Amino acid sequence: MECGLFGLVSGVDIFSGGTIRLQVAEAEVNNISIRFLDRKTGEPTKGKKGQVYSMLQGKRDVDTVSTMGLMIDVSIIPQPAGDAGKVDLVMNVVERPSGGFSAGGGISSWITSGPLSGLIGSFAYSYRNLFGRNQKLNNSLKRGQIDSIFRINYTDPWIEGDDKRTSRTIIIQGCIFQGCMGHGC
């Protein structure tokens, strides 16, 4: 449990004197199912299982998952079910890489003195699926001879435990001045 693994009791031996030996193994994933839950009650909803399969609804479902921006590819594959006239739907998803770095540089014609006259640079890091909950973190730094500008932006699209689906965005930004370019200040 300390490592975040789920243990499965696979055997129990009871010995005389009240001693019990448990055989515990790490549980391996066998199958994954998706249940649709009611937003207010958290109970499974009706309306998906048992509905007539609609390719148009399937396309809308794929588009909904795609617009979250977390997946590179999303598809639904109908599979024959055990009962005649029924179909199992398998949704295949390929997760998009979540983070990235970028950097840039240039020369400003406004600054004409100094050893690195006019040199400016920027660096940014972004992560789009922080903690696996579609939270976004963007950090950037722009640095020149006169000032540095930084910005940290964090967005949580749904505050955990809030049934009204409230989101929050926190932005911290600032500017640090290094000098006045010799203008007597």
Side-chain angles (χ1 to χ4, degrees), residues 76-97:
I76 293 180
I77 310 295
Q79 301 287 319
D83 295 338
K86 299 206 180 224
V87 65
D88 289 336
L89 300 177
V90 176
M91 182 177 278
N92 293 321
V93 295
V94 178
E95 188 173 6
R96 179 181 308 278

Side-chain angles (χ1 to χ4, degrees), residues 44 55 71 84 119 130 152 161 172:
M55 290 180 65
M71 306 299 161
L119 191 60
L130 197 62
I152 301 169
I172 301 170

